[in-house]
Amino acid sequence: MEEVRARFAAVVSGPFVVSRQESRWLALGDEFVAFAADDDAGWRRFEQEAWILERWRRGGVPAPRVIAADAARGVQVRERMHGLTGAGIETRIFAGSIPDERARTGDVPMSDFGERLASSYGEMARRIRAATPLG
């Protein structure tokens, strides 16, 4: 944990709390959320998420900005969006809300938590579409 804390400290300023979130390390500060990858696949996943988040932002979807990325340390820092959790962001990223997301992220495995959220999100979306007339 000290090695991970040092990786975060080299990239972010200010106090933060470190925790483990399934497939990644998380550092939570007052105005940022930072993630540390365990390996190259984890870093590729962060890069894919950054690409998707930026695409959403350009389309007007509220999504956090990536404010720092250090590939050598495997740390990505995003602005903290109060009221929007990482779980919600991960669900949107991997639920296929943009058609070519799955093709772009296909070689990057989803976390177990992300799989569960994407599945429940898909069921909820199906119910909403079934209950909402199109005309």
Side-chain angles (χ1 to χ4, degrees):
M1 168 103 79
E2 289 309 311
E3 179 270 333
V4 173
R5 181 175 287 286
R7 288 167 53 198
F8 283 127
V11 180
V12 301
S13 60
F16 57 87
V17 176
V18 176
S19 64
R20 180 72 181 176
Q21 300 290 323
E22 289 193 17
S23 63
R24 60 179 76 185
W25 289 96
L26 172 75
L28 187 60
D30 288 338
E31 297 301 320
F32 68 85
V33 178
F35 301 96
D38 292 332
D39 52 28
D40 289 341
W43 180 251
R44 282 194 328 272
R45 181 176 178 184
F46 293 163
E47 289 177 321
Q48 299 302 333
E49 290 174 1
W51 179 85
I52 292 166
L53 291 170
E54 179 55 31
R55 186 167 178 182
W56 285 352
R57 289 179 55 75
R58 284 190 311 238
V61 175
R65 286 180 304 117
V66 174
I67 53 180
D70 186 323
R73 290 184 175 90
V75 173
Q76 185 183 85
V77 185
R78 300 174 189 169
E79 71 179 329
R80 185 169 177 184
M81 295 188 68
H82 300 278
L84 182 61
T85 67
I89 293 166
E90 181 167 349
T91 300
R92 292 177 185 167
I93 287 172
F94 290 103
S97 60
I98 298 173
D100 64 342
E101 285 175 11
R102 220 8 137 168
R104 188 167 169 84
T105 60
D107 69 331
V108 181
M110 192 180 329
S111 68
D112 293 340
F113 183 64
E115 284 283 358
R116 290 190 305 271
L117 283 172
S119 178
S120 66
Y121 181 77
E123 175 60 22
M124 182 174 58
R126 185 194 63 74
R127 288 182 189 172
I128 290 169
R129 281 193 292 271
T132 307
L134 296 176

